[in-house]
Amino acid sequence: MKIQPNLPRKPRIVVIGGGTGLSVMLRGLKQKPLDITAIVTVADDGGSSGILREELQIPPPGDIRNVLSALADTEPLLAEVLKYRFSNGTGLAGHSLGNLILAAMTDITGDFVTGITELSRIFAVRGRVLPAANHAIVLKAEMEDGSIVVGESTIPKSGLAIRKVFLEPADVEALPEAVQALREADAILIGPGSLYTSIIPNLIVPKLAEAIIQSDAVKLFVCNVMTQPGETDNYSVSDHLAAVHAHIGHHLFDYVIVNDGEIPPQVQNLYAEQGSTAVHLDLEEVTRRGYKVIADTLVLFRTYLRHDAAKLSDHIYHLVEQWMLRKG
């Protein structure tokens, strides 16, 4: 799709989140004429990322690696190299090669952010990839019974409903480049991803939340298609929005993009075995709270349900384009 003649430049879009959903969406967005900045959570403490975080004292590289791979303009085999995970080898089993490369680049350049920048250049990444902060963050959750659970990977396994999540240290310093990107954005896009462990951890980094609130960019929320066991059990679309509002204390979004396409019964049954159900679109309640809703059939099913990256990107680009035209 070409930029319309009356658009003076590529729209600047900042995408915030983490996990698989963010990477899927970015694969679609990079095909559009957009200036993309991805701000990625650094609260991950599980698997290969958690080991490298603990042993090398670096921010967890896993979500960053996934986003780099999604935005890379490289041969498919090179993208596969980034995702390759060792299955054997003492000390190597379970590690992603991309995580190890990021750890090596951090050591070589002396800085995590510089390492990401250099790896982005090597892999011809379309856009910028920035961590929310330049050091790892510990995510904690207060559960409904008042207990505290520590660790991003532990929270969904607690078996208790989440009341709120918070960071340690509470006054974590946002990456200045991330704050600046938000201030200059034409559009800010949040989600999809794990609500309490990928999305909200970015939004409660103090200066990031402040920059989003103060920005005159159009603000979009892409809601998850399925609930996540241990995080959003039985959540509707309005429940997702209410959780963000409760943590930020502000009506953050102009538009909510949701799937209203039918999910085949056999697919629903497959997810039900894992304790996951389709997120209910309670349209009347969402609109009553002042959000504009864009609803469409936005899912594909292969091995797992995923957002239809092409169709989702079309909706996002159209909204951003119209916003810029109205602003003049």
Side-chain angles (χ1 to χ4, degrees):
M1 184 183 295
K2 294 181 179 179
I3 303 177
Q4 298 297 324
N6 46 1
L7 274 188
R9 54 174 169 76
K10 283 184 181 180
R12 293 185 290 257
I13 184 168
V14 177
V15 185
I16 301 174
T20 306
L22 178 65
S23 299
V24 169
M25 183 174 65
L26 286 171
R27 285 190 174 88
L29 286 176
K30 77 175 181 182
Q31 305 302 327
K32 302 294 183 187
L34 293 166
D35 181 349
I36 300 171
T37 298
I39 299 175
V40 186
T41 181
V42 284
D44 188 8
D45 63 357
S48 171
S49 283
I51 293 168
L52 293 172
R53 165 183 174 148
E54 182 70 24
E55 293 187 356
L56 302 180
Q57 300 300 300
I58 63 170
D63 283 338
I64 296 281
R65 180 205 78 230
N66 284 332
V67 170
L68 287 171
S69 178
L71 288 174
D73 190 15
T74 59
E75 293 295 325
L77 183 59
L78 205 51
E80 288 299 315
V81 166
L82 274 180
K83 293 188 290 183
Y84 178 77
R85 195 173 295 275
F86 292 93
S87 56
N88 298 299
T90 304
L92 271 180
H95 275 300
S96 155
L97 181 56
N99 286 358
L100 295 175
I101 293 172
L102 258 174
M105 291 297 289
T106 301
D107 195 38
I108 290 166
T109 63
D111 178 75
F112 188 58
V113 175
T114 306
I116 294 169
T117 302
E118 290 303 308
L119 200 57
S120 296
R121 184 178 57 79
I122 293 166
F123 283 88
V125 167
R126 296 190 191 182
R128 285 191 302 167
V129 181
L130 301 172
N134 202 11
H135 55 87
I137 295 168
V138 176
L139 185 67
K140 296 185 176 183
E142 179 185 335
M143 316 310 284
E144 284 295 345
D145 67 351
S147 62
I148 303 296
V149 178
V150 179
E152 179 267 352
S153 62
T154 308
I155 291 166
K157 301 173 184 175
S158 69
L160 300 167
I162 300 167
R163 181 178 293 161
K164 66 175 181 178
V165 292
F166 55 99
L167 303 177
E168 189 177 277
D171 59 348
V172 59
E173 190 70 26
L175 189 73
E177 294 93 326
V179 174
Q180 188 64 28
L182 289 166
R183 288 175 178 159
E184 296 174 352
D186 299 303
I188 297 170
L189 177 61
I190 296 167
S194 301
L195 181 64
Y196 288 103
T197 54
S198 288
I199 293 173
I200 292 177
N202 288 301
L203 301 181
I204 56 179
V205 174
K207 288 186 180 178
L208 291 188
E210 183 182 317
I212 295 168
I213 290 166
Q214 292 176 354
S215 172
D216 64 354
V218 61
K219 296 157 195 171
L220 318 171
F221 180 72
V222 181
C223 192
N224 293 337
V225 175
M226 305 296 291
T227 62
Q228 185 164 355
E231 286 201 40
T232 55
D233 299 283
N234 302 313
Y235 270 38
S236 65
V237 174
S238 69
D239 290 329
H240 283 76
L241 295 165
V244 173
H245 193 284
H247 283 79
I248 309 305
H250 197 277
H251 184 96
L252 210 56
F253 309 110
D254 301 297
Y255 291 91
V256 180
I257 302 175
V258 299
N259 172 64
D260 68 351
E262 184 178 350
I263 298 170
Q266 64 270 25
V267 177
Q268 292 196 47
N269 292 338
L270 185 66
Y271 274 81
E273 291 174 7
Q274 305 165 23
S276 182
T277 59
V279 174
H280 170 61
L281 171 55
D282 47 346
L283 182 60
E284 187 175 331
E285 179 62 20
V286 174
T287 53
R288 186 188 71 79
R289 296 185 187 189
Y291 302 99
K292 301 180 184 74
V293 176
I294 306 296
D296 197 357
T297 301
L298 295 173
V299 289
L300 297 170
F301 178 75
R302 292 188 177 95
T303 308
Y304 298 97
L305 274 175
R306 292 284 182 261
H307 275 98
D308 182 330
K311 190 181 284 190
L312 181 58
S313 298
D314 284 342
H315 280 294
I316 292 166
Y317 185 79
H318 177 72
L319 287 171
V320 175
E321 183 183 51
Q322 293 306 306
W323 183 267
M324 287 190 68
L325 290 173
R326 285 197 296 270
K327 284 175 63 177

